[in-house]
Amino acid sequence: MMNLNQIAYGIGVIGTVIILIWVGLFKFTAIEASAIKDLVENHFAMGWMYKVMSVQTVSNIIGTFEVLTGIGLLLSFFYKKVGMYAGFASGVIFVTTLSFLITTPEVFKMVEGFPITDFFILKDIPYLAISIMVFSKSRG
């Protein structure tokens, strides 16, 4: 019988899988490829990609990595070794997206004296925690 921690872990992993696969597949659309361009081109580790590839190709590569990582997280329920790699890969994804808060110019704005940002990036904080949990649990 599963305890509450196991249930919560399972929900967290499945939720992360859904987001990675859903958002990853969306990267194959022109609208999303265009939407992530400002984030990616200003990133110290990723901006070079636009010098050698098209906007859509860069987005497709990122999307492929996200989808494969999501599948790997799903497989982590059955294969510990896959979970270790997928947990690490998803950690890289979420650390990278969170770093956009630092690398993207004018990502923070003031609205009625209150600092706001692109809140969709902040959702990656709990996903990073799930990634670390999968990595840790899969190591044994």
Side-chain angles (χ1 to χ4, degrees):
M1 186 156 141
M2 291 180 71
N3 68 32
L4 197 53
N5 283 334
Q6 292 169 316
I7 292 168
Y9 175 83
I11 292 169
V13 173
I14 294 297
T16 306
V17 166
I18 290 168
I19 290 300
L20 281 170
I21 292 175
W22 194 346
V23 170
L25 290 173
F26 193 47
K27 295 280 189 308
F28 289 88
T29 67
I31 190 93
E32 179 66 358
S34 176
I36 66 168
K37 186 174 185 286
D38 285 344
L39 299 170
V40 175
E41 75 181 348
N42 287 295
H43 197 273
F44 64 92
M46 300 174 76
W48 64 270
M49 296 171 76
Y50 291 117
K51 291 180 173 76
V52 295
M53 294 176 268
S54 71
V55 170
Q56 189 61 60
T57 300
V58 170
S59 190
N60 292 353
I61 290 169
I62 294 168
T64 299
F65 188 67
E66 290 173 342
V67 169
L68 291 175
T69 300
I71 292 168
L73 287 176
L74 189 59
L75 292 174
S76 75
F77 289 118
F78 311 102
Y79 306 100
K80 276 188 152 192
K81 188 107 173 161
V82 173
M84 187 177 72
Y85 293 116
F88 182 81
S90 63
V92 169
I93 289 169
F94 297 122
V95 164
T96 301
T97 57
L98 286 166
S99 73
F100 292 150
L101 292 170
I102 299 166
T103 62
T104 307
E106 300 177 20
V107 72
F108 286 95
K109 299 162 185 64
M110 295 298 281
V111 174
E112 295 188 19
F114 194 82
I116 64 160
T117 187
D118 293 326
F119 293 112
F120 77 94
I121 293 175
L122 295 177
K123 74 177 177 351
D124 292 351
I125 296 170
Y127 294 133
L128 176 58
I130 295 293
S131 302
I132 295 167
M133 290 171 63
V134 171
F135 178 79
S136 176
K137 184 177 175 123
S138 297
R139 287 184 13 166

